Amino acid sequence: MVTKSGGRLISSIEQFDQEVLKNKGGSDENPLDPNLPVLVLFSAPWCGPCRLTNPVVKEIMKQYQNKIEVVEISTDDLPEVASDAGVLSIPTIQLYYDGKVMDTIVGCVAKNVLARSVDKVLEDLGLLEESV
């Protein structure tokens, strides 16, 4: 299921464990690329700042198409996943690679702030293509 942020909804602890932490890709009909970092948006439907974050994440998803995967977790539905990830407030965005958190952003941020974070992770992983 696609969320308002444009990412895929993580709907179970097992799905988070398999797709984000163990990096085993997604479902058969919509696989995640295990070679790409995963941007995880922790949010809730009632959260105003989360609603403001959705279009920013959607723009980043388009900008970094084929460079990152994007998933969303409702903290109302999966509070234990949020707790285990160290999420104390929402929205929180975490960038994972190979099961490890590479960066965390808390709160509603501008597109350029999130883009810098994604660039840094891609650069650290040697996946950022330099523009000429």
Side-chain angles (χ1 to χ4, degrees), residues 1-62:
M1 175 179 182
V2 175
T3 63
K4 290 184 179 175
S5 67
R8 270 189 350 153
L9 181 66
I10 298 287
S11 56
S12 70
I13 296 169
E14 295 78 19
Q15 184 183 7
F16 178 76
D17 186 50
Q18 285 297 309
E19 295 184 18
V20 178
L21 296 182
K22 292 187 179 164
N23 211 21
K24 299 291 185 200
S27 62
D28 290 338
E29 68 266 1
N30 194 8
L32 294 179
D33 186 334
N35 300 311
L36 298 179
V38 181
L39 183 152
V40 181
L41 171 61
F42 292 91
S43 66
W46 50 264
C47 168
C50 298
R51 286 191 293 253
L52 294 173
T53 299
N54 285 336
V56 173
V57 171
K58 192 177 266 188
E59 287 181 41
I60 290 295
M61 192 170 128
K62 288 178 188 171

Side-chain angles (χ1 to χ4, degrees), residues 61-106:
M61 192 170 128
K62 288 178 188 171
Q63 181 177 338
Y64 291 93
Q65 186 175 5
N66 301 321
K67 294 180 183 173
I68 63 169
E69 297 284 359
V70 177
V71 299
E72 186 172 335
I73 296 174
S74 170
T75 56
D76 287 351
D77 296 338
L78 296 173
E80 52 282 314
V81 171
S83 178
D84 290 348
V87 173
L88 300 175
S89 64
I90 53 175
T92 292
I93 296 171
Q94 292 184 328
L95 286 151
Y96 285 81
Y97 186 78
D98 201 21
K100 297 175 185 70
V101 177
M102 301 291 291
D103 200 4
T104 299
I105 298 172
V106 179

